Amino acid sequence: MKVVFHERFLEYYTSDPAAVPGRLDPALALAKEHYSLVSPYPCTEEQLLRVHNPSHIAHIRADQSVYPIALLAAGAAVEASRLAMAEEPAFALCRPPGHHASPDSCWGFCYFNNVAVAVKELLALEMVKKVLIVDFDLHYGDGTANIFNNIQAVTYRHLKGQNREAFLENLLEFIKNEKADLVAVSAGFDRHIKDWGGLLTTEDYGKIGHMLGEFARAHCGGRIFAALEGGYNARSLGDAFDAFCRGVENP
């Protein structure tokens, strides 16, 4: 497993829960201990324009405290997807998150849709024909759904369930009949029992990673990448991130 990370992701770039100081520190410590780190480059304007309208990009560009790090977060997802295409599972440990960013708007601490930028790049380069985007964040990724609405090459699924067992079953039922060239994951850890959602255990995130990793090995040549979305308890975020990555790696 490669972890795509840049020191700028530690910066306090605005006043929202995704940007608070220290949020990524436990996850980064575990990443340095267990995985290989890869540094990303900012995404390009061409890559952004595959997803977002020029007016939206201009609106985000006007805030120079946010714009550079938002470019870098999208670039981290692109780099993670490139690693995945080389059959190396990868996780973009980045912020700001992205799944609430639509073509012409954004909210929920998001600016550019990181996962969508990465997926659109691979589609434009004809490197994939079918992509599954699995989103296990507490909140529905309306931006991702809007971007890929009526695009048959991409299936977006936001997982849900009233309890732990139902949540894991929802994932199992979804993937058992799916086929794809790549799995992209919007990895939000705010359903953790010690976070906003109060539902999933650290071990559950390991099971999610295992199921998705098994699917990728069986159907996608092992091609799977993830990008961080939510997760606001720094400690549980770190533990769940590590459990998910270990789950992806372990057959």
Side-chain angles (χ1 to χ4, degrees), residues 58-149:
H59 174 69
I60 304 304
R61 187 187 294 118
D63 186 345
Q64 282 297 311
S65 63
V66 165
Y67 180 66
I69 197 167
L71 288 180
L72 197 56
V78 170
E79 181 61 29
S81 73
R82 288 173 178 165
L83 291 166
M85 292 307 296
E87 301 180 16
E88 176 76 47
F91 192 108
L93 185 60
C94 61
R95 63 179 187 179
H99 70 158
H100 294 307
S102 292
D104 57 359
S105 64
C106 61
W107 69 287
F109 324 140
C110 301
Y111 301 94
F112 300 132
N113 196 307
N114 306 323
V115 167
V117 170
V119 169
K120 283 270 195 170
E121 170 85 348
L122 296 179
L123 290 170
L125 296 175
E126 299 184 345
M127 297 178 68
V128 292
K129 294 182 179 179
K130 177 66 177 181
V131 179
L132 298 186
I133 300 178
V134 178
D135 186 339
F136 57 75
D137 191 272
L138 173 61
H139 306 98
Y140 179 67
D142 56 306
T144 309
N146 290 337
I147 289 163
F148 293 109
N149 185 37

Side-chain angles (χ1 to χ4, degrees), residues 149-168:
N149 185 37
N150 295 323
I151 296 179
Q152 294 186 350
V154 177
T155 298
Y156 171 76
R157 178 63 171 249
H158 179 247
L159 302 181
K160 55 188 176 181
Q162 294 298 314
N163 54 53
R164 295 169 53 215
E165 293 76 14
F167 192 89
L168 296 173

